Amino acid sequence: MKHYYLLLLLIFGWTVSAQTVEIAIILKDADTNLPVEDATVFVLKTKQSLLSNSEGKVTFVLNGSSNIQVTHSSYAKVTVRSSALLKTDNVIYLKNTVNDLDEIIVTKQHPQKILKNLVDNSIKKLTVPARLKVYTREFFKMDGNYTYYNDGLMNFQLFGKEKNFKSNILVEQNRAFGLVYDQINSDVLGYNLNDIMENYYNFKYINPITESGGKKKYDYVIKSYSSNQDYNVMIVTPLDNTTALRDDFKIIYDWKKKIIIEINTTVSPSTLSNVKEKKAVGSKNIYKSTFKAIYRLEGENYYLVSSKEEIGFERVEKNKTTDIEVRNYFVTTNFSNQNYSYKESEVFKDKTLYNKKNTILSPYWDISGLSTTNEEQAIINDLQDRKP
């Protein structure tokens, strides 16, 4: 009988240890105690990538133990062991290493030439063919009210040669809530999913500062990067006399491996103040525009980890203006250099997910790699309950 109970205890213990555990982490600035957004959390055992939200929160499910790497372009890298973490309320403090007095680097080549070489080399280094499992999320706001939401879990199969990348998309699951009004063109709903990955892999978003006329429109400065001695940062800003709508650019790159790690763009308030308002029907007056893309080098593999884009504009109509805001997230949860099998009929051809019928097989958003904030979840719940 004693042996019988001992066997039961052993089986019970093994079952408990084999169960998956959901872990929650809150990332905070060690000096200010404020949450750290857009930190990449990489689970080494499962090769899963996650992104911290505006509350600094990351949640994931893990079977067994693993090292967990936390990286952010403005903070020192941290590695923790999952076995040292509780299921909830794990606060990890990150040390900000950005120094406003980082040294300006003087180069023989013009920084634009250096940037062109970085783009060319980064395109060559990107791992293709490859498969990216991607979670996408989109919020749509009109005249101050959230009117639409969608998210989805997709597989992007990348193929082709450098500067001629192609992708096929298989949608695993998706959902959409809310009402999109007839007068809103679907193109304003953010991503065109059929060319978005090609744009990321060709670094299309920095074309304005690599074009031949860029030196007449922008100022280029290269600085050392105190967060990582292997990185430099290139800061590109519109010249003061511009009246055009031009972004400020911040590009972090590995100067040894000559690859781009992070791209940040934003239209500054000073630039917006110089832009003349458009009044023609159908035109758009942008008042907010930000974009961020993060790339990861893991061994020999180099790929897109995440992107975030937010735009706000007033659309001029015949008798009124309509205020529109769109916020998009794009997170690569898993990377593989293996192809997947599919039929041509299964390939997703549409531009966005909002026309696609909801397909929900599991609560995929809970393990999406991007936790919702309390505010975002309230928006989703509200839109889910609305009747078209």
Side-chain angles (χ1 to χ4, degrees):
M1 184 63 70
K2 289 182 179 180
H3 290 297
Y4 174 76
Y5 283 119
L6 179 60
L7 180 60
L8 285 178
L9 287 172
L10 288 172
I11 293 172
F12 176 77
W14 177 84
T15 303
V16 170
S17 65
Q19 289 177 343
T20 57
V21 177
E22 183 178 277
I23 298 174
I25 295 174
I26 305 294
L27 303 174
K28 291 189 175 184
D29 187 297
D31 297 322
T32 66
N33 205 39
L34 294 174
V36 177
E37 186 178 7
D38 294 338
T40 300
V41 177
F42 187 69
V43 183
L44 270 70
K45 181 178 181 179
T46 60
K47 304 297 183 183
Q48 183 182 12
S49 294
L50 310 105
L51 197 69
S52 61
N53 62 22
S54 59
E55 296 172 346
K57 187 175 182 180
V58 171
T59 58
F60 57 96
V61 174
L62 186 63
N63 184 352
S65 60
S66 172
N67 281 340
I68 299 167
Q69 293 179 348
V70 181
T71 56
H72 190 289
S73 59
S74 299
Y75 293 87
K77 180 179 176 180
V78 173
T79 301
V80 296
R81 189 71 177 167
S82 62
S83 56
L85 300 174
L86 304 172
K87 291 183 180 180
T88 58
D89 301 327
N90 297 284
V91 179
I92 296 177
Y93 291 95
L94 304 181
K95 181 63 179 176
N96 194 320
T97 55
V98 171
N99 182 356
D100 292 335
L101 301 178
D102 284 341
E103 179 185 358
I104 294 177
I105 298 174
V106 179
T107 59
K108 293 181 180 179
Q109 287 185 320
H110 190 280
Q112 191 198 51
K113 178 65 174 177
I114 293 173
L115 180 58
K116 288 181 179 180
N117 290 336
L118 281 170
V119 170
D120 289 343
N121 193 62
S122 296
I123 289 174
K124 290 178 182 177
K125 293 287 187 180
L126 283 163
T127 304
V128 176
R131 182 175 78 240
L132 306 183
K133 184 179 287 291
V134 171
Y135 174 73
T136 181
R137 176 186 295 164
E138 183 172 61
F139 292 91
F140 182 85
K141 193 175 185 180
M142 190 166 70
D143 290 333
N145 298 310
Y146 284 97
T147 56
Y148 177 75
Y149 169 85
N150 77 57
D151 65 16
L153 189 63
M154 300 174 289
N155 284 297
F156 282 79
Q157 177 68 61
L158 299 174
F159 56 95
K161 298 180 180 179
E162 59 190 61
K163 296 187 179 180
N164 191 28
F165 295 115
K166 301 294 181 183
S167 66
N168 282 337
I169 308 170
L170 268 70
V171 179
E172 288 190 11
Q173 302 185 64
N174 67 288
R175 58 178 181 166
F177 306 124
L179 179 65
V180 179
Y181 296 91
D182 292 338
Q183 68 265 35
I184 303 301
N185 190 290
S186 63
D187 289 340
V188 306
L189 290 174
Y191 294 121
N192 179 343
L193 292 172
N194 280 293
D195 62 20
I196 189 67
M197 197 60 74
E198 291 94 312
N199 291 342
Y200 289 138
Y201 273 54
N202 285 312
F203 297 91
K204 180 181 177 181
Y205 293 90
I206 57 177
N207 278 355
I209 57 175
T210 58
E211 294 171 348
S212 58
K215 289 187 284 187
K216 296 180 180 179
K217 301 175 182 177
Y218 295 90
D219 180 52
Y220 299 73
V221 175
I222 297 176
K223 291 185 177 183
S224 60
Y225 199 60
S226 51
S227 295
N228 190 323
Q229 63 180 0
D230 294 331
Y231 292 174
N232 284 341
V233 56
M234 187 178 296
I235 300 170
V236 185
T237 53
L239 296 176
D240 292 337
N241 59 357
T242 184
T243 58
L245 188 68
R246 293 178 183 148
D247 292 287
D248 289 18
F249 295 82
K250 178 183 174 184
I251 299 166
I252 300 168
Y253 64 94
D254 188 316
W255 60 269
K256 290 184 177 180
K257 295 183 173 65
K258 296 180 173 57
I259 58 172
I260 294 171
I261 301 299
E262 185 175 304
I263 299 170
N264 292 271
T265 75
T266 185
V267 179
S268 70
S270 59
T271 297
L272 287 169
S273 66
N274 292 330
V275 177
K276 187 176 180 180
E277 183 180 2
K278 300 174 183 177
K279 296 183 179 180
V281 173
S283 59
K284 302 174 185 177
N285 290 302
I286 294 175
Y287 59 83
K288 174 174 60 177
S289 177
T290 62
F291 169 78
K292 183 174 186 176
I294 301 172
Y295 297 82
R296 178 181 178 84
L297 179 65
E298 181 195 349
E300 296 297 318
N301 295 319
Y302 175 47
Y303 57 95
L304 176 78
V305 171
S306 66
S307 72
K308 181 172 67 175
E309 187 170 3
E310 188 168 3
I311 187 169
F313 60 90
E314 288 186 340
R315 182 186 178 115
V316 181
E317 300 175 16
K318 189 173 182 179
N319 298 315
K320 64 173 183 175
T321 60
T322 301
D323 188 285
I324 296 171
E325 294 181 42
V326 184
R327 186 166 76 249
N328 298 310
Y329 300 93
F330 208 67
V331 182
T332 298
T333 61
N334 287 99
F335 167 88
S336 172
N337 53 18
Q338 302 296 317
N339 294 334
Y340 59 85
S341 300
Y342 58 92
K343 299 176 182 178
E344 185 63 27
S345 60
E346 297 173 324
V347 176
F348 181 71
K349 301 291 187 180
D350 210 343
K351 291 182 178 180
T352 71
L353 290 176
Y354 95 103
N355 274 330
K356 184 173 173 58
K357 183 179 179 181
N358 286 5
T359 303
I360 302 173
L361 306 176
S362 67
Y364 62 90
W365 48 87
D366 288 339
I367 53 171
S368 65
L370 180 64
S371 301
T372 53
T373 64
N374 292 331
E375 179 187 18
E376 288 173 339
Q377 191 58 53
I379 294 167
I380 295 169
N381 292 342
D382 178 62
L383 291 173
Q384 186 175 4
D385 293 337
R386 290 190 191 183
K387 301 297 182 183

